[in-house]
Amino acid sequence: MDTEVHEIFTSFQGEGGTVSGSCAGCRQVFVRLRGCDVRCDWCDTAHLLGPSGQPALVEATPGSRRREIENPMTPTQVVDAVLALRTPSFHSVSFTGGEPLLHVPFLKKVFTILKKKKLPVFLETNGNDPKAAKKVAKLVDVASVDIKDRTAGAHGDKDWKELVAREVASAVTFKKEGCATYAKLVVTGRTREQDVGYVAGLLAETDVPLAIQPVTPLGDALPPSLRLLLSFADAACERLPVEAVSLSVQGHRQAGFP
Ligand code: SF4
């Protein structure tokens, strides 16, 4: 039940653009968990993909120097840490990673306590495991579900469309359980317009909007040109309503925040 936490801190949600459910610009307490079940070529948290045995780094007050808390942390310890960071501008608690859905028993316990305390839960997931999504969906307020572009390489040597199908199934699960849900597609300079159209076509059958996010440059992964990005937006809007498609940027990164 206890889980290795990487960090708990305060910042603003940078992603999501203007689509329904987006919390872009909202102040959140972030709980970052370790571990992931896929491997994206441009992962910006590659240091979190396995257990570390290191203590969690936890803010005592918003923006303060983080102190070390022994891992694994209990659900109650995590909730207490979140409560210590709640201020008038608090919007929600963002669970991120790594991949939070690798920790379902822990999440169920934490989400249940947060729900009783009326603190909204925002969950960021790679969507790879619809069964895990189903186990927590009733306790989630907002779900940001990744759809991995082919150029992320997250499908490994398997069929990319099978991974996308699982991700869309996860998004549908959250939506059906009443979560505000949106899909996030990180695109690169090598992303194919027809792949964006393919993803948008699947989402069009689900009423889940799409945030298209240029990759933050890492290694060989470079963001698309404006011209390419415009073609992606057009490909998406041929299948989805205009208000269901938005550009998303990692605003916190640009502002120099965690
Ligand atoms: S799903 Fe997220 S945490 Fe996992 S490898 Fe991809 S970018 Fe990294």
Side-chain angles (χ1 to χ4, degrees):
M1 176 79 69
D2 302 350
T3 284
E4 191 176 348
V5 175
H6 179 65
E7 57 185 351
I8 301 176
F9 63 97
T10 314
S11 189
F12 292 93
Q13 177 57 249
E15 302 180 349
T18 62
V19 293
S20 168
S22 167
C23 296
C26 295
R27 178 176 176 160
Q28 294 181 319
V29 176
F30 291 80
V31 178
R32 191 183 298 283
L33 304 176
R34 298 190 67 93
C36 188
D37 50 350
V38 300
R39 293 290 182 268
C40 301
D41 289 347
W42 37 253
C43 178
D44 57 358
T45 51
H47 56 296
L48 300 179
L49 298 186
S52 74
Q54 298 296 311
L57 300 173
V58 180
E59 283 180 345
T61 56
S64 67
R65 193 164 164 270
R66 299 175 195 182
R67 66 196 198 286
E68 294 187 352
I69 305 278
E70 196 178 329
N71 263 318
M73 289 181 75
T74 68
T76 308
Q77 276 181 304
V78 169
V79 171
D80 287 346
V82 167
L83 290 173
L85 298 174
R86 188 167 54 155
T87 69
S89 59
F90 164 86
H91 178 273
S92 45
V93 191
S94 175
F95 288 82
T96 186
E99 173 47 48
L101 286 182
L102 293 185
H103 310 270
V104 163
F106 172 81
L107 290 183
K108 280 176 87 169
K109 185 84 184 162
V110 174
F111 291 176
T112 300
I113 305 173
L114 291 174
K115 208 145 200 79
K116 279 189 191 142
K117 294 185 181 296
K118 301 198 184 317
L119 301 192
V121 168
F122 176 102
L123 176 69
E124 199 176 2
T125 174
N126 64 25
N128 187 37
D129 187 350
K131 286 189 184 146
K134 173 101 180 133
K135 288 178 185 162
V136 300
K138 275 191 170 56
L139 299 165
V140 172
D141 295 280
V142 182
S144 169
V145 182
D146 287 352
I147 308 291
K148 295 297 180 190
D149 177 53
R150 196 189 295 271
T151 63
H155 55 293
D157 55 6
K158 307 261 171 49
D159 184 356
W160 171 69
K161 290 186 178 179
E162 286 177 13
L163 172 62
V164 172
R166 289 197 296 281
E167 294 163 335
V168 172
S170 291
V172 168
T173 295
F174 284 113
K175 183 91 187 165
K176 277 191 180 152
E177 294 293 350
C179 311
T181 305
Y182 67 88
K184 185 181 76 187
L185 177 70
V186 175
V187 291
T188 72
R190 294 186 296 113
T191 296
R192 302 190 317 192
E193 188 183 318
Q194 62 262 42
D195 284 347
V196 178
Y198 175 75
V199 168
L202 295 179
L203 293 176
E205 296 165 18
T206 69
D207 201 22
V208 171
L210 175 64
I212 300 174
Q213 183 170 300
V215 71
T216 297
L218 189 81
D220 292 340
L222 296 173
S225 65
L226 175 60
R227 179 182 289 218
L228 202 49
L229 206 44
L230 292 169
S231 75
F232 296 162
D234 283 339
C237 288
E238 279 169 13
R239 282 95 177 167
L240 288 162
V242 167
E243 61 275 11
V245 177
S246 173
L247 178 70
S248 166
V249 290
Q250 289 195 305
H252 53 297
R253 289 285 188 97
Q254 295 184 2
F257 301 148

